[in-house]
Amino acid sequence: MKKSIFTICILSLFFACKKKTTPEFVATDATGNCLLKGNVSKNVITPNGSGGWNNNTKIAAANVNVSVKVDKNSLYPNSTAQGADVYNATTDNNGNYSIVVKANATGVNAQITIDGFTATLDTVLSSGTKTGLNASYTGLTQSRTLMMGQNTQLDYSFFGVPVNSNTNSNIKIGNATVTGSVGVSYIKQVATGTLITLTTTNVPVQGRTVYLSFSNDPNTQATRLYTTTTNSIGYYSFNISTVAANTPGFNLQNAQIWITDYAATRDTLKLNNTVVTGREGVFQGQSLNQNSIFNDEIRNANHFNYSGFTPN
């Protein structure tokens, strides 16, 4: 018995004296790469095959800068890392780009920027390319979540907007005329023998404001608003600036014409041509369109008749 106790004590002393060891800490990097790629294009003007023009044909946009910014505190979450990693690439002759970005398994917030630029909005014909007006091509800034080991596609298409400083001696600026009238629907008495029935008749409205929005003013390359008022017999006329047909960059010479709601009474025209004042209310506004308006054209008979009436 004494020998067994002695042995247990010796073993206990041996294990108690043995030094405990822990594995050495080795820092690891939990990041990896992802691939951001895409295609960038821009619009040009081409014939539409029907005597007009299409301004939304796409061609490659070469030499456009694409950049990606990743904040370090997004790459290393729950850290005090500061600053950011920035990556850049340029589109090739086919408009393609690719950028290798450092990311992590949970995803980093990347700010992607495709730089805008100013260039001419050209016309592409079978005979070659004709230089057009100076235009502004607005770029893109977008946030994407990028994850290591995954590819992300981001395509972008520029649309050129002519700038206000454009001057081109080949553009023939002229005028076109848009005319019409404004009337209001009256209730009218009609006698057939001894029978009196009611119908409606259109009565001219004097001094009513008419609006015209023209989509592409040649002086500013922007939408222009015109206003006029009706004369004593309810007629109006607009003299608008436009260009000759088939002028590159000016295929959308469209106008919207409208009148607003009209607060008035719904009157009755008696047999003796006297007018009896009716209930107060509102006649509903109206609009119509005239498209592809070019120099020396006269667009007439754009008539409005206030007929839809809601009494108060």
Side-chain angles (χ1 to χ4, degrees):
M1 182 67 180
K2 291 183 179 180
K3 184 177 180 180
S4 298
I5 295 174
F6 177 77
T7 302
I8 292 173
C9 291
I10 293 295
L11 291 174
S12 299
L13 181 62
F14 172 79
F15 285 109
C17 294
K18 188 176 180 180
K19 183 178 181 181
K20 292 183 180 180
T21 59
T22 57
E24 183 179 354
F25 175 77
V26 178
T28 59
D29 189 350
T31 61
N33 293 331
C34 70
L35 180 67
L36 172 69
K37 60 181 181 178
N39 181 267
V40 180
S41 60
K42 66 177 182 179
N43 70 309
V44 293
I45 300 167
T46 56
N48 65 4
S50 302
W53 302 91
N54 174 22
N55 70 340
N56 202 30
T57 301
K58 302 298 182 182
I59 63 171
N63 300 316
V64 176
N65 183 66
V66 183
S67 62
V68 181
K69 181 173 78 72
V70 178
D71 292 335
K72 288 188 179 295
N73 60 8
S74 179
L75 181 62
Y76 303 107
N78 301 318
S79 74
T80 59
Q82 297 181 356
D85 294 327
V86 179
Y87 309 85
N88 289 278
T90 303
T91 56
D92 61 19
N93 290 335
N94 296 316
N96 296 319
Y97 72 91
S98 63
I99 305 175
V100 177
V101 179
K102 192 174 185 179
N104 57 37
T106 58
V108 297
N109 181 37
Q111 180 175 296
I112 306 167
T113 300
I114 300 176
D115 289 352
F117 57 91
T118 299
T120 55
L121 177 55
D122 299 334
T123 300
V124 178
L125 306 170
S126 58
S127 58
T129 300
K130 303 295 183 182
T131 301
L133 300 171
N134 287 328
S136 174
Y137 294 83
T138 303
L140 169 74
T141 297
Q142 186 178 105
S143 293
R144 283 285 185 96
T145 299
L146 305 180
M147 301 183 68
M148 70 182 209
Q150 296 184 4
N151 294 341
T152 297
Q153 182 88 15
L154 178 60
D155 300 328
Y156 183 64
S157 183
F158 286 101
F159 189 85
V161 178
V163 297
N164 292 345
S165 60
N166 281 318
T167 57
N168 190 328
S169 59
N170 294 324
I171 297 177
K172 181 183 177 182
I173 299 177
N175 298 99
T177 302
V178 177
T179 68
S181 67
V182 178
V184 61
S185 179
Y186 275 21
I187 300 170
K188 181 181 179 180
Q189 290 183 340
V190 177
T192 305
T194 59
L195 178 66
I196 298 177
T197 59
L198 298 178
T199 184
T200 58
T201 187
N202 190 31
V203 177
V205 178
Q206 179 180 0
R208 193 65 188 159
T209 300
V210 184
Y211 302 86
L212 185 149
S213 177
F214 194 57
S215 63
N216 195 8
D217 180 77
N219 298 292
T220 63
Q221 283 80 57
T223 300
R224 180 175 176 182
L225 179 65
Y226 294 83
T227 62
T228 189
T229 55
T230 54
N231 62 15
S232 60
I233 56 173
Y235 275 81
Y236 68 89
S237 179
F238 291 103
N239 187 35
I240 61 177
S241 295
T242 185
V243 297
N246 299 323
T247 300
F250 289 89
N251 59 315
L252 296 178
Q253 301 301 100
N254 301 333
Q256 182 185 38
I257 314 154
W258 74 92
I259 52 176
T260 59
D261 291 348
Y262 180 32
T265 54
R266 184 73 184 274
D267 298 340
T268 300
L269 184 63
K270 304 281 285 185
L271 290 175
N272 60 1
N273 288 326
T274 60
V275 176
V276 176
T277 302
R279 294 184 62 181
E280 294 184 344
V282 175
F283 289 92
Q284 184 178 356
Q286 301 173 30
S287 68
L288 52 84
N289 297 305
Q290 285 285 347
N291 296 328
S292 302
I293 304 175
F294 298 104
N295 288 352
D296 304 322
E297 293 185 350
I298 300 175
R299 303 291 181 91
N300 64 334
N302 293 285
H303 302 310
F304 294 100
N305 182 36
Y306 282 116
S307 56
F309 180 76
T310 303
N312 291 343

